């Protein structure tokens, strides 16, 4: 499926169900999903989805992940209120990574930072780049 | 390590080696790495790094991944010339994902598209959004 799409021109389509069937989920049935803020372009976080989470995200228009530590689905913001409203869901060329572009309500990170990626390599150190809100 | 950094203010640092020692690499010794174009903000691709790839990326200033299919290190662009010059390397709050901000030479995707994320979910279809260059 994904190989056949490589040479297709813009505008060509495939049935969504067929494409989801072709996703090479890992041994735990998961695929990494990157969340990006649609307005600022900031990469907010990386989490994991299973097939159900992908379908639920598309159906409900709010991003749903699968928590590996809690072994359950997890609609982002269900407890914190920091919901991610889905704007776009994309797959990559090999179908083994997802990019969701979102409208993020509140901070994406559980530390109350805008983004989870606040640890910057700087020479022989790692530096915290933002304060918790 | 990562827990202790959560409440730190901006500017606080830790020794890079200690932080790399604390990364919870998966069973294959890998961590997912997102590449983002520093100028456009476009998310270019997701690939995988092991400890050696992280260290080599930081030392050489060019992004190096670990290919799961070929089971070997792979400096992005080593055959295509589509090198990723490293601008920033970041870790997320749990230390289980990497974000590299890069200057991308040529297209990032092996299909000769700018980004690997050219497959967009649109209603009950997946649509190709960009032409191969």
């Amino acid at each position: 499926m994904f190989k056949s799409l490589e040479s297709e021109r813009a505008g060509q389509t495939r049935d969504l169900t067929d494409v989801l069937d072709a996703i090479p989920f890992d041994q735990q049935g998961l695929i990494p999903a990157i969340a990006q803020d649609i307005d600022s372009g900031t990469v907010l976080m990386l989490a994991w989805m299973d097939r159900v989470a992908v379908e639920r995200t598309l159906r409900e228009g709010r991003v749903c992940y699968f928590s590996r530590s809690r072994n359950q689905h997890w609609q982002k913001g269900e407890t914190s209120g920091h919901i991610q409203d889905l704007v776009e869901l994309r797959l990559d060329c090999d179908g083994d990574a997802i990019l969701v572009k979102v409208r993020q309500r509140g901070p994406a990170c559980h530390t109350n930072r805008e983004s989870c990626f606040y640890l910057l390599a700087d020479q022989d150190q790692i530096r915290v780049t933002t304060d918790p809100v």
Side-chain angles (χ1 to χ4, degrees), chain A residues 41-81:
Chain A
T42 301
V43 175
L44 300 172
M45 57 185 284
L46 183 144
W48 297 81
M49 293 186 183
D50 64 356
R51 167 84 178 241
V52 168
V54 176
E55 292 178 325
R56 193 172 150 192
T57 295
L58 288 169
R59 188 173 63 246
E60 299 181 357
R62 292 181 176 184
V63 182
C64 178
Y65 300 104
F66 187 86
S67 168
R68 296 179 300 174
S69 56
R70 288 177 288 143
N71 200 39
Q72 62 181 36
H73 290 100
W74 153 58
Q75 189 186 63
K76 174 70 179 166
E78 66 189 4
T79 53
S80 65

Side-chain angles (χ1 to χ4, degrees), chain A residues 76-102:
Chain A
K76 174 70 179 166
E78 66 189 4
T79 53
S80 65
H82 300 160
I83 288 168
Q84 294 179 333
D85 292 303
L86 182 70
V87 182
E88 283 187 359
L89 185 146
R90 290 171 175 266
L91 280 160
D92 76 352
C93 49
D94 299 321
D96 60 7
I98 284 177
L99 173 64
V100 284
K101 299 191 183 187
V102 302

